Amino acid sequence: PGTLIFSLPTCVPCRQTKINRQDSLLKHKTITMIPLQELRIGNFVIANDAIQQVSMIDQATLMAAVKRPGDRQPYHQLSLDTIEPVILTDEILEQCGFRYHTYFKFWQLIESSDGIRSEMDIDNDYAIIDFMRKPIAKNLMALHQLQNSYFILKGKELGYIPKQLTPKLETA
């Protein structure tokens, strides 16, 4: 009996250094569209150049309703081919509550009830790892994939607080 590993689809040229990860990922059309079977209600995606949360998916028309978190404006319906993934970065992991441990050299999401026990660990290649530091989910490239994996493994939603953009000061 070996360890169960599931791997998410990826574009092979995208597995490069962290420095050019964002640029490389955005150049490959294979990962800029989210396959319908990967999208869930509650996923955060990029739509209309902003991070928005999916609130409805219509498989028949291939449309989704999205809304900016905390926005009082109504939901917007968009075609699924206009919705893009939020690329997984260190900053996104921090916004999900992960902390990087320089000693262990991996990301850790600490359970809030006791502040000690780890809920999930992610290595520097953004693979979910077990307590023996062996990967159990590889090729995480986007926030929605991390959200889906967390839900599958933990049975609850992953917290995510998008970074608030500061409004530009207007000069007279």
Side-chain angles (χ1 to χ4, degrees):
T3 304
L4 173 65
I5 298 177
F6 63 94
S7 181
L8 299 168
T10 186
C11 180
V12 175
C14 295
R15 300 304 287 175
Q16 299 177 8
T17 63
K18 281 187 170 187
I19 296 168
N20 62 2
R21 177 180 170 92
Q22 181 83 20
D23 293 336
S24 177
L25 288 172
L26 293 176
K27 288 178 186 173
H28 298 286
K29 188 66 174 169
T30 56
I31 58 102
T32 57
M33 283 181 46
I34 301 172
L36 177 63
Q37 65 272 16
E38 283 189 22
L39 201 57
R40 278 189 327 112
I41 292 173
N43 283 152
F44 286 92
V45 296
I46 296 176
N48 296 330
D49 296 321
I51 294 178
Q52 302 197 44
Q53 192 169 22
V54 175
S55 60
M56 188 260 330
I57 303 166
D58 186 343
Q59 294 181 355
T61 62
L62 297 178
M63 299 286 285
V66 295
K67 183 177 178 180
R68 290 182 189 199
D71 197 349
R72 294 176 189 239
Q73 297 298 320
Y75 294 98
H76 301 282
Q77 281 203 334
L78 300 170
S79 172
L80 289 178
D81 61 359
T82 63
I83 296 173
E84 298 181 357
V86 176
I87 303 301
L88 201 56
T89 63
D90 293 353
E91 184 177 7
I92 296 294
L93 286 177
E94 287 174 354
Q95 293 170 14
C96 291
F98 285 86
R99 298 292 169 250
Y100 188 77
H101 292 281
T102 54
Y103 180 78
F104 297 115
K105 305 232 184 298
F106 61 81
W107 291 89
Q108 209 168 36
L109 180 64
I110 303 298
E111 187 175 311
S112 59
S113 64
D114 64 11
I116 299 170
R117 193 171 33 229
S118 174
E119 273 200 40
M120 182 175 277
D121 299 332
I122 297 178
D123 69 14
N124 289 323
D125 291 327
Y126 301 123
I128 299 172
I129 54 177
D130 66 10
F131 67 96
M132 297 288 291
R133 296 190 188 170
K134 297 200 186 269
I136 57 174
K138 294 182 177 182
N139 299 331
L140 292 176
M141 305 291 260
L143 176 57
H144 74 277
Q145 293 173 331
L146 177 60
Q147 288 179 291
N148 295 346
S149 299
Y150 186 83
F151 185 78
I152 289 168
L153 295 170
K154 300 295 181 179
K156 57 185 177 179
E157 296 294 336
L158 176 66
Y160 172 66
I161 302 169
K163 184 177 181 179
Q164 295 297 322
L165 300 176
T166 54
K168 292 181 182 178
L169 294 176
E170 294 194 23
T171 57

